[in-house]
Amino acid sequence: MLLAVTVGAVAGCTNSQQASDQPTATPMGRSFVSSEVKGTAIPGGGPLTMQFRDGRVTASAGCNTATGPVTLDGGILKVGEMATTLMGCPGETAGADDWALGLLRSSPAWKLTGPDLTLTGNGSTVTMLDRKVAHPDKPLTGTPWIVDSLVRNNAVERSQILDEVRPTLTIAPDGSISGSAGCNTMTGRAEISGSDITFHIATTRMMCDPQVMDVERAVLQALDGKATATIDSNNLSLQNTGNGTGLRLHAE
C-alpha cells in the first residue's frame, strides 16, 4: 500500500511538472483593438490598437504610433525604449499618446482569454479583442487601400501631409491597378503569386508641392517591382524586397 501511494505521488508530481512545462498562450503574433476601457479613458476616444510581433509591440491610441521591444513574462507586459511618430493631433486626441505610453510604461498586468486580451495598469483596465475577430482580414484585391505610413531608411514614417494627400491603391481581381500616389494618378498591373506582388506602375505627370512630391516618390519607390504583402484584419503591409522600402495601408 505504501509503495502504491509513493508511486502515485511521484506520477502526480511528474504530471504536474509536465503541465507546468506546457507553453502558455501569449499575445505575441496577434493584433488587438480595444472594446472597453474602465478607469482613465482614452483622450479622444481611441481606440487603442496593439500589434505583437517578433518580440516587439506597436501601439496607437488614435494619434501617433509607438513601437519598441516587449516582454510578457509572468503575466506582466514590460516595454523597452519606445520610438514614436511625431505627428501633431487635434483636440482631445493630442493627449492620446501620453495615455498609451503611460499604460505601456506602467508594466501592466495582462490576461489572455481566447480572443480577449485584458491590460490593467496606470489607472485603466483595457479589454481588447483580437483584430481578426473584430475585423476579419480584408481581401487583397477589390479593396480600396489608403496609405497611412511610409517605410524607408528602416523607419516607419507618418506625417500630416501624408494624411492630407491620402495616397490610395486598389488592385482589381483581374490585376489592374488604380489609385493615387499623392499627386498623380496611378494605373498599371499587379502580378500576384501567393503573398508576393510584382507591380508595373504608370502615372500622370503633374507637379505638386515639394512635400507632396516627396510622399509620392516614397509611394512609387515602394511599388517599384516586387513586394511582399501581409494582411492583418483591415491593414495591409507592403515590403519591397528589392530596395527595402514599404507602405502601411488600411482599408477604406
Side-chain angles (χ1 to χ4, degrees):
M1 179 64 70
L2 179 60
L3 177 60
V5 171
T6 303
V7 171
V10 171
C13 197
T14 302
N15 290 337
S16 175
Q17 180 64 41
Q18 288 175 342
S20 65
D21 288 342
Q22 295 301 312
T24 301
T26 77
M28 195 57 64
R30 298 169 66 178
S31 299
F32 299 84
V33 58
S34 63
S35 56
E36 182 182 29
V37 178
K38 295 181 179 178
T40 305
I42 304 173
L48 172 66
T49 61
M50 298 181 70
Q51 180 186 69
F52 298 87
R53 182 180 295 173
D54 299 329
R56 299 181 66 83
V57 62
T58 300
S60 174
C63 186
N64 283 287
T65 299
T67 184
V70 65
T71 61
L72 300 162
D73 300 332
I76 301 297
L77 186 153
K78 294 184 178 180
V79 297
E81 184 176 353
M82 302 292 289
T84 68
T85 54
L86 298 174
M87 183 180 66
C89 298
E92 293 184 357
T93 57
D97 293 344
D98 288 341
W99 183 93
L101 290 173
L103 174 67
L104 293 174
R105 289 170 175 163
S106 70
S107 298
W110 66 268
K111 181 180 179 181
L112 185 64
T113 306
D116 297 315
L117 173 65
T118 303
L119 299 177
T120 303
N122 203 37
S124 300
T125 297
V126 184
T127 302
M128 310 188 74
L129 182 62
D130 191 306
R131 291 193 66 155
K132 290 186 180 294
V133 175
H135 307 290
D137 288 353
K138 293 285 188 179
L140 173 64
T141 60
T143 300
W145 300 100
I146 301 173
V147 178
D148 54 42
S149 300
L150 308 173
V151 181
R152 50 185 174 180
N153 300 321
N154 297 316
V156 178
E157 301 177 13
R158 186 177 175 187
S159 66
Q160 185 174 348
I161 192 68
L162 179 60
D163 286 347
E164 290 174 355
V165 300
R166 289 167 57 90
T168 60
L169 172 69
T170 301
I171 304 173
D174 66 359
S176 60
I177 289 174
S178 60
S180 167
C183 176
N184 285 283
T185 299
M186 295 190 300
T187 57
R189 294 196 59 79
E191 299 172 4
I192 303 173
S193 177
S195 62
D196 293 331
I197 308 173
T198 301
F199 290 97
H200 305 277
I201 302 289
T203 70
T204 54
R205 304 245 175 196
M206 293 192 304
M207 292 297 295
C208 296
D209 291 340
Q211 287 181 310
V212 176
M213 297 308 296
D214 179 61
V215 167
E216 176 158 302
R217 281 190 292 271
V219 170
L220 294 175
Q221 188 176 19
L223 299 178
D224 181 16
K226 188 175 181 180
T228 299
T230 303
I231 295 177
D232 181 10
S233 182
N234 58 352
N235 293 299
L236 169 64
S237 171
L238 293 175
Q239 191 68 38
N240 190 297
T241 56
N243 57 34
T245 63
L247 302 174
R248 301 289 184 267
L249 309 93
H250 66 270
E252 188 173 24

